[in-house]
Amino acid sequence: MTEKRKIRFGIIGCGLMGREFASASARWCHLLDLDFQPEIVAVCDSNPAMLDWFVNEISSVEKKFTNHKELLKDPSVEAIYCAVPHHLHEQIYIDIIEAGKHLLGEKPFGIDFNANQNIIEALNKNPNVIVRCSSEFPFYPGAYQISEWVNQNRFGSIIEVETGFWHSSDLDPNKPINWKREIKTNGEYGCMGDLGMHVLHLPLRFGWKPQNIRGHLGNIIHDRPNTDGKLVPCETWDNAILTCDAVADADKFPLIMSMKRIAPGHANTWFIRIIGTEFSAEYNTKYPKQMATLSFRPGENQGWKYEDLPYKSAYPTITGSIFEFGFSDSILQMWAAFCDELVNGQEMSQSFYCATPQEAVSTHHIFTAALESQRTSKTVALNRSNRSDVNVGLEV
């Protein structure tokens, strides 16, 4: 048996997603026939208490830091997963890139457009570093299947598309305020910066280019208690619905994108619905085993068909096809795609790669236009200076 190529990882930001990422390393044996394996060898968080779980639970961890620059000095660390608040993205991502470490970073890749452009400038100066953005939902079997159908031109002409990511974790008005509810740490984008890459990843990957944006943004709960129980302003947008005219080849169609932190009845729901002249499909993680499809044939009655999906993922696993796919599985698949590209480049064992810096730039153009639309109550054109297909010098 060929020995697997070991990739020595550091984690910067040891909160919820840092732990999710690290726990996936303990499940690497779940994946089959891969020639690489990540090892979490170093962790960093400005709060020393956050490091204890990693040291106690992840046996491969050798070093812990409270200053990310000290971690980046370690020549044995090859790649970084970084999950820190948005206002820290610019400096830390640039430091990682300039240190020559490969980076899988959390969205939105900068607190605002200017921060994002500075990250991109650093990347352009260090083209040998692989940089990708975390976005795991397209690795669900249903989403992966829809990607294959789009590549096969199965839908005919696109009539309309709706995609979204909804949860209700902010429905409780007594939930204490945190960094995602303050502009200085989350940014003006609000829920768009936090959830938007999940919603836009597939439309952008499919080459569907928004031509304009009409933003409908809602600040639903205006105040939340702080740690002392005092009500303080909740500054960021809770929900966002963006509508646009999108273009795909010769088709022009409405694209609706929604990002909601306050969506009663939804815990963590990602969905995409594509309506075409020949074929339509909808996948929703609320029902992770179910795919809805509709085929149009002249003269036949029309009706949606609902069928269970087998457990079929981008990278083969030990799991039988009768079982259900879940969130932790999607993270494992995304991480496998990042490692596969790092080790094998364009010879990846499957073709769906992680969200790119180019796609992150596109989201910033879209979110910036949505903020302008909210301020003016007008539809904002995505012109040459802000549209989502601007070339930023990256080969994708």
Side-chain angles (χ1 to χ4, degrees), residues 17-31:
M17 293 311 299
R19 291 193 295 272
E20 285 282 357
F21 193 77
S23 68
S25 68
R27 296 184 65 224
W28 204 257
C29 61
H30 189 77
L31 300 169

Side-chain angles (χ1 to χ4, degrees), residues 230-242:
K230 180 182 177 181
L231 288 178
V232 295
C234 188
E235 301 170 332
T236 60
W237 302 111
D238 294 307
N239 288 2
I241 299 173
L242 311 184

Side-chain angles (χ1 to χ4, degrees), residues 13 22 84 157 168 233 253 272 377:
V84 296
S157 294
S168 57
F253 56 90
I272 185 167
S377 297

